[in-house]
């Protein structure tokens, strides 16, 4: 692939501006490696905490119009048990970012330390899961709590820190600005949108947890708006996430201000081949539009 696609985010060199989003294929070193080999410019693990968690009972995932609705409940083996997987993931040749969560800033700090020692190239702080109590968006809806978590992690590790934000707030820029002030290196926008489905035959909520998070094309316009708003307010890179399925989606996010895009739900529908089609599509777009680097299109829509 051409040099046009090479980019750098918070000191991480990426062969292209796509990333495997947290939560999909991020449960083992071998699946992370496969995503990198399929063309992801970087890969992100499932969110890991200090202790293993089983997650919620089934049903945890359901297909809805234009997307997926999930309430997995943070199932993960715990960050300590993931250390060996990281060396396997790194064989894919792309930077490996470990997503971490915690129930306090101390939890985040400890998990970050283990993740950094395991060889993470960067950390993504999950302060945005929409349906697990006392973590995720319960932290990410408060500028003070977000600042506390980011400050704690930055005081412990010397790695780039991405902060993944929830759209389930009145003003996402207020949270983004708090994260930046506290030392965030990059903002990821967005995690899933709090949502629900009810089966009309059984009259029951479909998910065992009742409420979950919506991902996929259904949320793309929300994510584009969030990236656009955050880009205007912060002076660090923004990474877009939410419904990227085609190269046009990826370019749209970049025009809104994203330096890179994360891909998740599209992999569930189309397989890992989406990386190749998106990356090749961005490259042809740049060539046809006479751009020399993908960096030139970041935020271009803000001229209007
Ligand atoms: O595991 C989940 O249920 C989950 C997480 Br951690 C998250 O950040 N976002 C989401 O939609 N589901």
């Amino acid at each position: 692939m051409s040099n046009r696609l090479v980019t750098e985010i918070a000191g991480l060199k990426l062969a292209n501006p796509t990333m495997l989003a947290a939560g999909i294929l991020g449960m083992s070193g071998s699946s992370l490696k496969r995503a990198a080999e399929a063309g992801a410019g970087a890969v992100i693990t499932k969110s890991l905490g200090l202790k293993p968690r089983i997650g919620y009972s089934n049903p945890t995932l359901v297909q809805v119009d234009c997307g997926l609705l999930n309430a997995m409940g943070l199932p993960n083996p715990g960050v300590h048990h993931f250390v060996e997987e990281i060396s396997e993931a790194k064989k894919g040749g792309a930077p490996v970012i470990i997503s971490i969560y915690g129930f306090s800033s101390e939890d985040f700090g400890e998990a970050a330390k283990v993740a950094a020692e395991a060889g993470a190239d960067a950390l993504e702080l999950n302060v945005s899961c929409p349906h697990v109590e006392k973590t995720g968006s319960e932290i990410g809806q408060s500028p003070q709590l977000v600042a506390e978590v980011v400050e704690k992690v930055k005081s412990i590790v010397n790695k780039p820190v991405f902060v993944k934000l929830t759209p389930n707030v009145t003003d996402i820029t207020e949270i983004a600005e708090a994260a930046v002030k506290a030392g965030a290196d990059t903002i990821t926008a967005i995690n899933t949108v709090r949502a629900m489905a009810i089966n009309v035959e059984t009259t029951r909520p479909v998910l065992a947890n009742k409420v979950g998070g919506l991902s996929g094309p259904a949320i793309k316009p929300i994510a584009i708006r969030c990236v656009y708003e955050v880009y205007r307010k912060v002076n660090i890179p923004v990474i877009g996430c939410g419904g990227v399925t085609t190269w046009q989606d990826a370019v749209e996010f970049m025009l809104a201000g994203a330096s890179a895009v994360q891909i998740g739900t599209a992999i569930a529908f189309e397989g890992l081949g989406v990386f190749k089609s998106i990356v090749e599509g961005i490259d042809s777009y740049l060539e046809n539009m006479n751009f020399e680097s993908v960096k030139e299109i970041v935020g271009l829509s803000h001229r209007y």
Side-chain angles (χ1 to χ4, degrees):
M1 202 46 63
S2 76
N3 279 341
R4 277 188 291 267
L5 293 170
V6 174
T7 193
E8 195 175 310
I9 296 179
L12 296 186
K13 273 239 160 75
L14 307 188
N16 69 70
T18 67
M19 299 181 180
L20 175 73
I24 292 233
L25 295 180
M27 275 291 219
S28 75
S30 61
S31 58
L32 289 159
K33 177 170 162 264
R34 267 199 294 137
E37 287 167 349
V43 295
I44 308 179
T45 69
K46 173 71 182 162
S47 295
L48 302 166
L50 288 176
K51 292 194 197 132
R53 256 180 83 96
I54 292 173
Y56 297 143
S57 315
N58 282 323
T60 51
L61 183 68
V62 58
Q63 187 173 342
V64 293
D65 292 343
C66 303
L68 291 176
L69 180 58
N70 90 84
M72 312 304 290
L74 272 164
N76 79 98
V79 67
H80 295 91
H81 290 96
F82 210 77
V83 172
E84 287 157 34
E85 305 295 332
I86 297 306
S87 48
E88 183 64 19
K90 289 207 155 199
K91 292 182 191 162
V96 176
I97 298 157
I98 301 189
S99 170
I100 57 169
Y101 73 91
F103 296 93
S104 64
S105 55
E106 287 73 25
D107 279 6
F108 270 96
E110 254 186 81
K113 187 163 182 277
V114 178
E117 285 168 2
D121 294 298
L123 305 175
E124 184 172 81
L125 311 185
N126 184 349
V127 290
S128 44
C129 175
H131 48 251
V132 178
E133 282 177 15
K134 302 208 163 35
T135 184
S137 54
E138 287 193 20
I139 295 172
Q141 287 166 339
S142 155
Q144 290 78 16
L145 294 179
V146 168
E148 209 180 283
V149 165
V150 175
E151 260 165 34
K152 186 74 179 181
V153 170
K154 287 297 289 186
S155 73
I156 290 176
V157 299
N158 189 17
K159 299 270 180 187
V161 170
F162 300 10
V163 182
K164 188 167 182 178
L165 298 185
T166 175
N168 305 309
V169 287
T170 308
D171 180 3
I172 194 168
T173 67
E174 191 193 354
I175 312 289
E177 285 180 311
V180 174
K181 254 198 193 152
D185 296 287
T186 293
I187 297 291
T188 303
I190 56 176
N191 205 315
T192 52
V193 178
R194 200 166 152 83
M196 193 174 179
I198 297 169
N199 183 317
V200 297
E201 308 290 331
T202 64
T203 71
R204 294 168 70 112
V206 176
L207 294 171
N209 188 58
K210 301 188 176 78
V211 169
L214 182 62
S215 61
I219 71 165
K220 194 190 77 175
I222 299 172
I224 294 282
R225 184 267 301 167
C226 289
V227 167
Y228 188 89
E229 288 181 348
V230 171
Y231 179 84
R232 291 182 96 82
K233 287 280 175 75
V234 305
N235 55 1
I236 60 172
V238 183
I239 300 172
C241 182
V244 176
T245 308
T246 64
W247 68 262
Q248 289 93 335
D249 297 330
V251 168
E252 188 181 351
F253 269 98
M254 299 187 84
L255 296 174
S259 295
V261 293
Q262 297 183 359
I263 301 167
T265 300
I267 297 165
F269 288 119
E270 320 233 347
L272 281 171
V274 288
F275 281 107
K276 191 163 182 280
S277 63
I278 290 173
V279 168
E280 286 179 355
I282 302 171
D283 195 39
S284 303
Y285 171 83
L286 296 174
E287 186 174 19
N288 295 336
M289 301 283 281
N290 290 319
F291 290 112
E292 282 175 18
S293 163
V294 72
K295 295 175 203 159
E296 291 171 35
I297 68 168
V298 175
L300 264 194
S301 72
H302 290 264
R303 293 176 297 177
Y304 305 102

